């Protein structure tokens, strides 16, 4: 995003967002990718709901699994039970349904796993009622943004989900679901999503995949170094950043196997990208007079890789972990405190019980 593009966006949106806050500071929720580790973010929101201290967010953004969580976070605590069912329900099928030829399908086809379970999940959860609720909140000036990666252009694509919902009807519902599925479609794991677009009176399909392929989470870091002045509607607000994963990968011996090397490389790249972007958002928050609160999964919690974490039992356990830590008020910390802790962290002993992200009780 260029400075000119940001100014145009600010002129058309920020005044409305400020009015939607009803005189209170603007709150922003940013939900990262992370595969099955997104159960942590869903659990944090559930625990926050139970505490009754969760603020109302004027802006919610989601990437990958964060995109699947984002509509329910946007709509508030009354929709929280849907998150609990999605990540803890016993009746839903496993998300990883291997194709007949397994990894050969990933090499010579679209993906190693079928996309049907993910589509089924979204068909159950993204209903006409949810679409109407998102449209109603968007009409009040609130923003729900989701990112995908457009493989044809190689660029990140940001979708205004409230504007899609406002169109209403089956076409809007279908596009809403397609965007969420595309954002969560890990390349090589799930098939890409073909989204029809119109240009110069012609309709063609764009190929979209996981938003995390472009950015670990959706904020506007590109504007940070060039933004010359404070954006007044944001002053005094708070950014809540949920990292559905570790900000530094655990030290371990990597097997000399192609799949192990690739998976380890992806985990390392995501962690490195996340740390860099946390620093950029911290710089943005300082410049705008905003607070930045960050949570990540403690290094003491062993995830086992983003595909392993898609196992329903692991997701259920991680949801319970996030929910427990949130109800104990042990999830949020300042960005510098989190980054300093990550930089100095040491390996935990194998038999040590997972600790919450914040060891001592912290205010919200």
């Amino acid at each position: 995003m260029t400075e000119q593009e940001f100014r145009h966006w600010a002129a058309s949106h920020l005044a409305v967002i400020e009015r939607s806050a009803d005189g209170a500071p603007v709150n922003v929720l940013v939900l990262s990718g992370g595969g099955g580790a997104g159960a942590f973010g869903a659990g944090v929101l559930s625990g926050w709901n139970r505490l009754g201290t969760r603020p109302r967010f004027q802006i919610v953004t989601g990437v990958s699994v964060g995109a699947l969580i984002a509509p329910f976070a946007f709509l508030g605590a009354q929709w929280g039970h849907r998150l609990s069912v999605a990540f803890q329900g016993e009746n839903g099928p496993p998300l990883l349904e291997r194709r007949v030829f397994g990894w050969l399908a990933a090499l010579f086809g679209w993906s190693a796993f079928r996309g049907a379970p993910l589509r089924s999940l979204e068909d159950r959860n993204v209903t006409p009622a949810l679409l109407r609720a998102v449209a109603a909140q968007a009409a009040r000036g609130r923003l729900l943004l989701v990112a995908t990666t457009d493989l044809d252009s190689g660029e990140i694509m940001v979708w205004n989900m409230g504007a899609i919902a406002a169109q209403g009807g089956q076409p809007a519902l279908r596009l809403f679901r397609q965007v969420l599925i595309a954002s969560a479609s890990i390349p090589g794991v799930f098939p890409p999503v073909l989204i029809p677009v119109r240009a110069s009176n012609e309709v063609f399909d764009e190929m979209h995949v996981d938003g995390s392929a472009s950015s670990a989470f959706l904020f506007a870091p590109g504007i940070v170094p060039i933004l010359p002045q404070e954006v007044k509607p944001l002053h005094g607000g708070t950014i809540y950043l949920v990292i559905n994963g570790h900000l530094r990968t655990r030290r371990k011996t990597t097997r000399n196997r192609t799949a192990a090397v690739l998976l380890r490389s992806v985990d390392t790249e995501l962690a490195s990208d996340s740390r860099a972007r946390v620093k950029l958002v911290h710089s943005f928050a300082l410049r705008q007079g905003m607070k930045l609160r960050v949570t990540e999964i403690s290094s003491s919690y062993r995830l086992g890789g983003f595909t392993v974490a898609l196992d329903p039992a692991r997701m259920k356990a991680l949801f319970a972990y996030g929910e427990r830590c949130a109800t104990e008020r042990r999830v949020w910390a300042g960005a510098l405190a989190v980054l300093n802790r990550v930089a100095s962290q040491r390996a935990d002993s194998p038999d040590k019980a997972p600790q919450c992200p914040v060891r001592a009780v912290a205010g919200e």
Side-chain angles (χ1 to χ4, degrees):
M1 182 182 289
T2 65
E3 180 181 343
Q4 183 177 3
E5 288 171 336
F6 184 85
R7 288 180 183 277
H8 177 73
W9 180 89
S12 60
H13 287 94
L14 286 178
V16 178
I17 291 169
E18 186 178 29
R19 287 197 298 272
S20 76
D22 295 326
V26 170
N27 291 307
V28 182
L29 176 65
V30 180
L31 298 160
S32 85
F40 168 73
V44 167
L45 288 168
S46 178
W48 215 354
N49 289 342
R50 290 174 59 183
L51 278 179
T53 58
R54 175 177 154 187
R56 185 170 181 265
F57 304 111
Q58 281 67 53
I59 304 174
V60 176
T61 78
V63 168
S64 192
V65 68
L68 303 184
I69 300 170
F72 304 104
F74 181 73
L75 293 177
Q78 63 270 32
W79 287 79
H81 70 284
R82 293 292 187 92
L83 280 179
S84 180
V85 170
F87 286 92
Q88 294 196 116
E90 302 290 345
N91 298 324
L95 290 179
L96 294 184
E97 187 176 306
R98 192 177 293 276
R99 294 186 184 275
V100 175
F101 296 105
W103 288 105
L104 286 176
L107 293 174
F108 300 104
W110 288 48
S111 60
F113 298 93
R114 298 179 65 243
L118 185 57
R119 291 195 301 271
S120 176
L121 177 70
E122 289 309 284
D123 287 347
R124 291 196 307 271
N125 289 310
V126 180
T127 62
L130 181 139
L131 200 73
R132 291 191 295 271
V134 169
Q137 292 302 317
R140 299 178 182 178
R142 299 174 64 216
L143 273 180
L144 172 60
L145 305 176
V146 163
T148 63
T149 299
D150 179 357
L151 288 182
D152 296 324
S153 67
E155 299 288 340
I156 189 170
M157 179 74 177
V158 180
W159 303 79
N160 185 334
M161 305 302 284
I164 295 173
Q167 296 174 14
Q170 284 300 314
L173 183 63
R174 181 167 56 251
L175 179 58
F176 199 100
R177 289 170 174 168
Q178 283 182 309
V179 171
L180 294 183
I181 294 168
S183 187
S185 293
I186 304 167
V189 178
F190 295 116
V193 176
L194 298 177
I195 298 180
V197 297
R198 180 181 292 276
S200 302
N201 294 322
E202 292 186 11
V203 177
F204 58 93
D205 290 331
E206 286 183 346
M207 184 177 288
H208 288 258
V209 297
D210 193 346
S212 291
S214 300
S215 178
F217 52 82
L218 178 59
F219 201 72
I223 196 65
V224 173
I226 62 175
L227 191 64
Q229 79 281 331
E230 178 184 328
V231 181
K232 290 183 179 179
L234 299 179
H235 184 79
T238 303
I239 303 167
Y240 295 91
L241 173 55
V242 179
I243 303 294
N244 290 305
H246 301 311
L247 281 172
R248 183 177 296 279
T249 53
R250 294 174 58 93
R251 182 176 180 82
K252 68 175 184 179
T253 300
T254 303
R255 296 181 63 195
N256 191 15
R257 297 288 186 273
T258 300
V261 171
L262 286 173
L263 291 175
R264 180 66 170 174
S265 298
V266 169
D267 286 341
T268 301
E269 183 178 359
L270 285 174
S272 177
D273 183 51
S274 295
R275 291 196 304 275
R277 291 177 184 275
V278 169
K279 294 173 184 177
L280 283 170
V281 178
H282 176 62
S283 175
F284 179 91
L286 286 177
R287 190 173 299 185
Q288 301 308 319
M290 301 182 77
K291 298 176 184 177
L292 174 59
R293 308 291 283 169
V294 181
T295 188
E296 62 153 348
I297 300 173
S298 168
S299 62
S300 63
Y301 196 109
R302 301 198 172 192
L303 292 174
F306 61 88
T307 52
V308 175
L310 284 166
D311 174 73
R314 290 175 180 263
M315 292 171 66
K316 187 173 182 178
L318 192 50
F319 181 96
Y321 164 77
E323 186 177 55
R324 173 177 64 82
C325 291
T327 55
E328 293 176 3
R329 304 175 188 268
R330 298 172 62 192
V331 291
W332 300 111
L336 290 181
V338 171
L339 291 170
N340 288 337
R341 183 182 69 233
V342 167
S344 61
Q345 75 183 25
R346 298 179 180 178
D348 294 288
S349 60
D351 58 346
K352 190 174 183 180
Q355 303 294 311
C356 287
V358 177
R359 301 293 179 93
V361 175
E364 299 188 9

